[in-house]
């Protein structure tokens, strides 16, 4: 893997995510960053092992371990084997924090790799493209970094989100009920009875699992169904769509549509209907 450090232009910095550096270090030196790294920073071990220190705690980084740090997180790492080689990626961009939060990736993560080969494949692809860096390549690298973040999040779930799967399975009847009855007047009590939880407990589990409330999820499903109706039937009236997907007030329907989609139902109809 080639090592590349990118000097970004103002054009590239306008991308949601842009590459800062990627590479392979055959002999990882001792790093101390009291003020943290200026960019989002991923590293895993290729061979050997090292120690990572964050917030006074020490962590072994062996050949099955990776860590990820947001900008500004103080840290230190050094080799504890005769040779510690590492692979790393740094990136930044105006959408980076939002994407990471959406994926549930915290300012400091250390985790075991279940798909190291796949992640290394993405990093290799980024490295190959970065060798001939230009604006078009920067867009391609941005797409690859987004893919990398998704797969890193899957590795994180294997370690720290062990209840995600059980919560998801527990909530499946709720999701199915909303999908089949979104056009009705669904209440929280009605939903909670589907899986035998109190309304308060349901809200807590739902929010923890999907980072949204059952009501917000219902609204998103209704808006999605409204979009499908507007695309399938260009002649349909906005008021008719409103009632068909379960809204009682056309003004509120238009308000929520614009809030979630950024355009009004009429504008969406003109664009896609």
């Amino acid at each position: 893997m080639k090592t590349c450090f990118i000097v970004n232009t103002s054009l590239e910095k306008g991308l949601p995510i842009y590459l800062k550096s990627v590479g392979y270090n055959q002999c990882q030196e001792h790093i101390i960053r009291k003020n943290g790294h200026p960019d989002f920073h991923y590293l895993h071990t290729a061979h050997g092992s090292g120690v990572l220190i964050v917030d006074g705690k020490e962590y072994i980084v062996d050949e099955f371990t990776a860590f990820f740090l947001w900008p500004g997180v103080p840290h230190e790492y050094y080799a504890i084997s005769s040779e510690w080689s590492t692979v790393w990626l740094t990136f930044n961009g105006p959408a980076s924090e939002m994407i990471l939060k959406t994926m549930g990736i915290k300012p400091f993560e250390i985790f075991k790799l279940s798909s190291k080969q796949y992640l290394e494949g993405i990093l290799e692809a980024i490295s190959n493209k970065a060798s001939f860096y230009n604006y078009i390549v920067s867009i391609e690298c941005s797409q690859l970094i987004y893919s990398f973040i998704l797969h890193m999040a899957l590795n994180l779930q294997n370690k720290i989100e062990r209840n995600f799967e059980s919560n998801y399975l527990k909530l499946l009847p709720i999701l199915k009920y909303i999908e089949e009855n979104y056009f009705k007047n669904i209440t929280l009590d009605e939903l909670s009875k589907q899986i035998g939880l109190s309304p308060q407990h349901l809200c807590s589990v739902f929010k923890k699992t999907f980072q949204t409330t059952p009501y917000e999820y219902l609204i998103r499903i209704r808006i999605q169904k409204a979009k499908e109706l507007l695309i399938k039937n260009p002649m349909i009236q906005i008021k008719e769509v409103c009632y068909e997907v379960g809204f009682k007030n056309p003004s509120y329907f238009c308000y929520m549509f614009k809030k979630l989609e950024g355009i009004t139902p009429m504008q969406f109809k003109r664009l896609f209907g």
Side-chain angles (χ1 to χ4, degrees):
M1 183 185 298
K2 298 172 184 176
T3 295
C4 302
F5 292 90
I6 307 301
V7 179
N8 302 102
T9 66
S10 57
L11 198 61
E12 290 154 4
K13 288 182 178 179
L15 291 170
I17 305 174
Y18 55 85
L19 176 65
K20 293 292 291 184
S21 70
V22 62
Y24 169 76
N25 194 338
Q26 187 171 358
C27 188
Q28 178 62 60
E29 66 273 26
H30 189 161
I31 297 291
I32 301 175
R33 296 191 179 104
K34 293 182 179 179
N35 298 316
H37 198 288
D39 303 304
F40 296 92
H41 177 34
Y42 167 90
L43 182 146
H44 74 235
T45 295
H47 301 288
S49 57
V51 167
L52 169 70
I53 303 174
V54 176
D55 198 24
K57 296 179 181 176
E58 295 188 356
Y59 304 89
I60 300 295
V61 186
D62 59 22
E63 293 184 20
F64 303 99
T65 306
F67 65 80
F68 182 76
L69 297 161
W70 286 32
V73 176
H75 61 276
E76 175 182 358
Y77 52 89
Y78 56 88
I80 54 172
S81 60
S82 57
E83 182 182 288
W84 184 32
S85 56
T86 60
V87 177
W88 85 87
L89 169 73
T90 65
F91 61 88
N92 219 312
S96 299
E97 185 172 328
M98 179 195 68
I99 291 168
L100 292 165
K101 283 182 177 178
T102 302
M103 299 294 171
I105 300 174
K106 299 172 186 174
F108 165 56
E109 301 281 11
I110 183 162
F111 51 95
K112 293 293 179 183
L113 290 165
S114 61
S115 57
K116 181 179 177 181
Q117 208 169 14
Y118 192 90
L119 288 172
E120 283 187 343
I122 300 176
L123 293 175
E124 185 76 45
I126 294 171
S127 172
N128 289 338
K129 289 185 179 296
S131 303
F132 308 96
Y133 206 73
N134 55 49
Y135 183 62
I136 300 301
V137 170
S138 71
I139 295 173
E140 294 173 338
C141 286
S142 182
Q143 294 172 327
L144 286 167
I145 293 169
Y146 182 73
S147 177
F148 182 87
I149 292 169
L150 289 175
H151 287 281
M152 183 172 68
L154 291 174
N155 279 270
L156 284 171
Q157 284 182 359
N158 289 336
K159 183 177 184 293
I160 63 170
E161 301 289 346
R162 294 187 185 278
N163 2 334
F164 177 85
E165 188 176 355
S166 61
N167 285 344
Y168 177 77
L169 292 174
K170 186 187 295 183
L171 293 169
L172 265 181
I174 300 288
L175 304 184
K176 186 178 179 184
Y177 187 84
I178 290 174
E179 181 68 29
E180 294 174 351
N181 299 278
Y182 64 88
F183 48 88
K184 298 179 182 177
N185 182 28
I186 300 176
T187 65
L188 189 57
D189 284 336
E190 198 175 341
L191 291 176
S192 61
K193 286 176 184 175
Q194 301 298 315
I195 55 174
L197 296 178
S198 69
Q200 294 80 9
H201 192 191
L202 169 61
C203 283
S204 174
V205 174
F206 202 99
K207 180 98 182 209
K208 184 177 180 182
T209 307
F210 298 112
Q211 286 77 55
T212 189
T213 67
Y215 178 73
E216 289 167 346
Y217 180 83
L218 170 61
I219 293 296
R220 290 183 182 278
I221 292 295
R222 285 175 172 170
I223 297 299
Q224 182 58 41
K225 298 298 181 182
K227 288 162 61 181
E228 291 171 10
L229 281 173
L230 288 166
I231 291 171
K232 287 177 184 175
N233 187 357
M235 303 306 293
I236 197 168
Q237 298 297 309
I238 300 300
K239 188 180 289 187
E240 189 181 347
V241 174
C242 162
Y243 296 133
E244 281 203 32
V245 299
F247 286 95
K248 294 181 178 179
N249 185 308
S251 296
Y252 182 66
F253 165 64
C254 291
Y255 167 77
M256 290 307 301
F257 195 104
K258 186 170 184 180
K259 182 179 178 182
L260 293 175
E261 298 298 321
I263 56 175
T264 67
M266 183 58 73
Q267 287 170 328
F268 182 88
K269 183 179 179 183
R270 287 171 182 159
L271 280 170
F272 304 105

